Amino acid sequence: MKNVAVHKLQKKFNLTIFSGEELLDKKHITIKDISRPALELAGYDAYYPKKRIQVLGKTELTFLYSLEPEVQKLRFKNLLLETVPCIILTRGFKPTESMLSLAQKSNIPILGTERTTTDFIALSTDFLDRDLAPTKTIHGVLVDIYGVGVLIKGQSGIGKSETALELIKRGHRLISDDAVELRSIRERAIIGAAPKVLEHLLEIRGVGLINVVSLFGTGCVRSQKEVELVINLEHWDDKKSYERLGLDKHYFEVFGVNIEMHTIPVAPGRNLAIIMEIAAMNHRAKKIGTNTPEEFSKKLNSLITQNQ
């Protein structure tokens, strides 16, 4: 199971450490969802999401601080189960001495932020969504063509990087060359990014590695992009029948998500960059309701029916 050390969250959002600094590398977050314990502070503990970060905002703390000291201590102590990664106070609130004492005894860090509760939960959930997402690295090139994330696959030496270079020269953007890190973020969304060591680099055989930012500027790259279309390049095979109308649908499956895939045969004289631009534009057209192959098929069937 993937996890994120509390220290990483603290560093990312510059959280104030009220107690448990020595625990930040030992406590780990395994669930992206965050809990705001309201009913628990009111005394209802039949269900308590004890593996989540517990965030106390203005509403929770105002209520907690209004309780009698002994009741306040009891209710707060009930939150401090061993599996809780940490307690975070928002809006600049500070813990009481009794809260600090109880947290230290229970080995639960207490952190704080000046951000509002809503803002902090939104930002931290997004951060954890990325860091806890299932991840795999595959061989390929990822480019942004007209706003469509296109993953180019194919055997080594078939021309993936050279095609990406031509696309960059035509104004499109590179996300990653050679290796693409795929993450399953949110329901049915696959996000691709470059491994840190390969960011902005493109390998051109016979030339070597080039830094596309140095040659073409910062506008030719982006850090990540949702993968919406897969182009599989393969050497032209005269014995194989390739799609001509576009009625048959093929998919590339990753993390249970099926992404539309086209197989493009590579042969002398075929401009792969232009073909990929057309594929991306056609994908966008389908999303807004324009499906040329289906429209052609309907017209053809209608014509056949009329002539019978």
Side-chain angles (χ1 to χ4, degrees):
M1 180 181 294
K2 296 190 69 174
N3 61 71
V4 176
V6 173
H7 173 73
K8 189 173 182 180
L9 183 75
Q10 183 273 326
K11 186 176 180 180
K12 171 69 178 178
F13 296 104
N14 194 28
L15 301 176
T16 302
I17 304 172
F18 292 117
S19 70
E21 183 173 3
E22 71 283 359
L23 300 169
L24 299 186
D25 285 324
K26 301 175 183 177
K27 303 288 287 186
H28 292 85
I29 305 161
T30 58
I31 298 177
K32 68 177 182 179
D33 298 314
I34 291 174
S35 173
R36 292 186 67 177
L39 291 174
E40 293 85 353
L41 293 177
Y44 178 81
D45 58 2
Y47 172 73
Y48 174 47
K50 57 187 179 181
K51 293 185 178 181
R52 301 182 186 180
I53 296 171
Q54 305 298 317
V55 174
L56 304 181
K58 184 176 181 180
T59 302
E60 294 81 14
L61 290 170
T62 300
F63 172 75
L64 182 64
Y65 294 161
S66 71
L67 301 174
E68 293 294 327
E70 289 304 313
V71 178
Q72 181 183 134
K73 289 171 62 177
L74 177 62
R75 299 282 170 79
F76 185 72
K77 183 179 180 181
N78 289 339
L79 302 181
L80 303 174
L81 300 183
E82 182 183 357
T83 52
V84 172
C86 61
I87 304 285
I88 299 178
L89 313 186
T90 62
R91 288 184 173 271
F93 278 92
K94 294 179 173 54
T96 63
E97 289 300 322
S98 63
M99 291 169 66
L100 290 172
S101 177
L102 289 169
Q104 288 169 354
K105 291 178 181 178
S106 301
N107 291 323
I108 305 296
I110 298 184
L111 309 173
T113 178
E114 296 291 331
R115 289 185 171 92
T116 65
T117 310
T118 302
D119 284 349
F120 176 73
I121 289 178
L123 291 169
S124 56
T125 299
D126 184 61
F127 167 72
L128 293 172
D129 200 13
R130 291 194 304 270
D131 274 45
L132 293 176
T135 305
K136 69 183 300 183
T137 300
I138 66 169
H139 178 63
V141 178
L142 182 59
V143 287
D144 179 344
I145 306 175
Y146 295 127
V148 178
V150 179
L151 175 64
I152 307 172
K153 290 173 50 60
Q155 67 186 64
S156 296
I158 200 165
K160 298 184 296 296
S161 298
E162 290 79 1
T163 302
L165 178 60
E166 179 63 23
L167 287 166
I168 292 168
K169 291 180 65 178
R170 295 173 67 88
H172 306 292
R173 293 187 285 181
L174 174 72
I175 292 91
S176 183
D177 176 52
D178 192 53
V180 182
E181 288 184 349
L182 299 178
R183 295 175 183 268
S184 175
I185 297 180
R186 303 183 304 276
E187 187 176 359
R188 309 201 66 76
I190 303 298
I191 305 297
K196 288 294 182 183
V197 70
L198 296 179
E199 279 186 336
H200 309 159
L201 299 180
L202 193 65
E203 179 191 350
I204 304 299
R205 303 216 173 180
V207 176
L209 288 175
I210 63 170
N211 187 311
V212 294
V213 171
S214 299
L215 297 181
F216 300 100
T218 56
C220 73
V221 296
R222 62 178 301 165
S223 59
Q224 62 180 30
K225 180 66 179 173
E226 180 178 352
V227 180
E228 299 180 66
L229 183 64
V230 176
I231 301 292
N232 180 46
L233 300 180
E234 64 175 41
H235 292 291
W236 189 292
D237 184 352
D238 291 332
K239 298 179 181 179
K240 184 174 181 179
S241 176
Y242 294 101
E243 184 66 34
R244 299 187 69 178
L245 295 181
L247 291 172
D248 293 335
K249 295 182 179 180
H250 303 276
Y251 299 96
F252 175 72
E253 188 272 332
V254 58
F255 296 123
V257 178
N258 289 323
I259 304 172
E260 183 180 348
M261 181 175 73
H262 301 306
T263 295
I264 306 297
V266 178
R270 304 203 85 201
N271 191 317
L272 296 178
I274 292 179
I275 293 173
M276 290 187 190
E277 285 182 333
I278 295 301
M281 293 167 68
N282 194 47
H283 183 78
R284 290 181 61 181
K286 288 180 181 178
K287 291 176 67 175
I288 61 176
T290 302
N291 193 319
T292 302
E294 289 185 1
E295 291 173 2
F296 172 78
S297 180
K298 289 178 182 178
K299 290 179 181 179
L300 183 61
N301 289 333
S302 176
L303 184 60
I304 293 172
T305 302
Q306 291 175 12
N307 293 330
Q308 286 179 344

